[in-house]
Amino acid sequence: MEKVYFIKEVTQENLIKVYETLNVELKGKVAVKIHSGEQGNQNYIKPEFIKPIIDKVNGTVVECNTAYKGARNTTEKHKKLISEHNWTNYFNVDIMDEDGDLEIDIPNGKVIKKNYLGKNIKNYDSMLVISHFKGHPMGGYGGALKQLSIGCASSNGKTYIHTTGKLKDQTKLWDNLPEQNKFLESMADAASSVHNMFKNNIAYINIMCNMSVDCDCCSVAEDPCMKDIGILASIDPIAIDQACIDLVYNSNDKGKEHLIERIERQNGIHTIASAEELGFGSREYELIEIN
């Protein structure tokens, strides 16, 4: 049973505190996977807020291009928006698929047997995954597993995951969407490949604030439907996502019904269940609240 550490107040100081409680040393060159926010989105975690934790691990902010039309589907446009969102004011930012894909195998994948990551991921020795926990139009929710899968996939890789391995051509993506559970299983497969790539040199932080039913990838997103819940940290991406889901369900906030409807409509919990079956984490966890 993996430990998940939890602190209620969402502050920069508590972000450092909950990470330090993990007592992990991220070695060598550290990639920090974040969501930099689509153009027009109001809910994404701002760079100013997470600057202290990224400075602490001496990390490089990493992102990948999207597979849908918008302000982040080419490296040129993506870099421009990242600058407009002030990320480059504070950090070195690496668009990992700027120079193409890195193909890796997923021998035990349930749906896909390979994954296409941003090529530059090979330049890092360890990774800190900082996820903004919220809803998602396709996945039901977005957390650590989505950051590992869709987040670390190249633009081609995102298409590959969304079409359960049928194609990498973004122009045909929306005409080739599979049955929902197969997509979620494909995400779990992809997440396993990234987690296993870094083995013991990866850690996870989920920030439960600004919780809309929509993702930070939505240019027009609904405003948050729940009050902030807190910050969680773990070395198990499955446990930390399950803990976030449980905190939503157990909340007294009436707004949770809106978020739960989105999670259940898209069967989001199936991603967590499928990930557990792949053996790189567990839905069983011990939630340890710190002050």
Side-chain angles (χ1 to χ4, degrees):
M1 184 181 294
E2 197 53 69
K3 292 179 172 63
V4 178
Y5 297 97
F6 170 57
I7 194 162
K8 286 183 177 179
E9 192 177 0
V10 179
T11 67
Q12 291 178 315
E13 294 75 18
N14 284 346
L15 193 55
I16 296 283
K17 184 183 290 186
V18 76
Y19 170 75
E20 288 179 338
T21 307
L22 286 178
N23 196 28
V24 299
E25 180 186 357
L26 294 177
K27 300 174 183 177
K29 191 174 181 182
V30 182
V32 181
K33 181 65 186 75
I34 53 85
H35 196 306
S36 56
E38 184 55 75
Q39 189 174 50
N41 186 278
Q42 75 276 30
N43 297 322
Y44 71 95
I45 305 295
K46 305 303 186 287
E48 296 84 357
F49 181 77
I50 56 177
K51 183 179 186 301
I53 185 66
I54 296 177
D55 288 346
K56 180 176 179 59
V57 300
N58 193 27
T60 299
V61 168
V62 299
E63 268 278 41
C64 283
N65 294 319
T66 63
Y68 56 83
K69 292 180 180 179
R72 301 188 300 135
N73 66 333
T74 69
T75 298
E76 182 181 8
K77 289 195 295 183
H78 203 166
K79 283 184 173 180
K80 182 176 183 291
L81 183 61
I82 279 174
S83 176
E84 291 173 357
H85 282 178
N86 294 328
W87 292 98
T88 49
N89 286 0
Y90 303 104
F91 316 111
N92 292 323
V93 179
D94 182 0
I95 307 297
M96 293 193 294
D97 58 338
E98 179 175 7
D99 298 317
D101 304 342
L102 174 68
E103 181 182 323
I104 60 172
D105 293 328
I106 315 174
N108 66 331
K110 295 172 66 176
V111 176
I112 56 174
K113 298 294 184 180
K114 55 187 175 181
N115 193 13
Y116 296 91
L117 306 174
K119 188 176 183 179
N120 293 349
I121 199 169
K122 63 179 175 34
N123 297 331
Y124 298 93
D125 304 296
S126 57
M127 179 175 277
L128 175 61
V129 180
I130 302 178
S131 304
H132 175 205
F133 185 89
K134 69 286 180 195
H136 191 276
M138 295 188 72
Y141 84 96
L145 292 172
K146 178 180 176 291
Q147 280 277 55
L148 284 174
S149 56
I150 302 296
C152 291
S154 67
S155 185
N156 288 332
K158 287 176 171 64
T159 303
Y160 194 78
I161 294 167
H162 274 286
T163 62
T164 59
K166 290 182 177 65
L167 59 122
K168 296 190 291 178
D169 182 353
Q170 296 97 319
T171 63
K172 299 178 181 179
L173 168 60
W174 306 111
D175 297 326
N176 289 272
L177 295 179
E179 186 270 326
Q180 176 68 3
N181 280 356
K182 291 299 180 185
F183 161 60
L184 301 177
E185 290 165 14
S186 184
M187 273 212 301
D189 289 342
S192 73
S193 69
V194 179
H195 178 85
N196 292 336
M197 172 186 285
F198 288 103
K199 299 188 187 302
N200 297 321
N201 292 312
I202 189 165
Y204 303 91
I205 295 173
N206 281 8
I207 304 174
M208 301 185 75
C209 72
N210 300 345
M211 286 181 288
S212 167
V213 298
D214 290 324
C215 179
D216 299 340
C217 58
C218 300
S219 58
V220 180
E222 282 197 26
D223 287 332
C225 59
M226 293 186 70
K227 293 179 180 178
D228 297 352
I229 290 179
I231 307 171
L232 295 84
S234 183
I235 59 171
D236 184 334
I238 299 169
I240 197 172
D241 277 8
Q242 182 66 61
C244 287
I245 293 285
D246 292 342
L247 284 167
V248 168
Y249 274 79
N250 293 329
S251 169
N252 293 323
D253 191 326
K254 292 182 179 179
K256 74 178 184 180
E257 295 176 5
H258 196 34
L259 182 54
I260 289 171
E261 188 278 331
R262 174 62 58 87
I263 294 168
E264 293 184 350
R265 188 178 75 195
Q266 300 303 106
N267 198 23
I269 200 70
H270 189 63
T271 307
I272 300 176
S274 298
E276 184 180 50
E277 290 175 2
L278 293 170
F280 66 102
S282 173
R283 295 174 70 181
E284 298 294 323
Y285 63 90
E286 179 185 4
L287 189 67
I288 302 172
E289 187 173 344
I290 58 176
N291 297 312

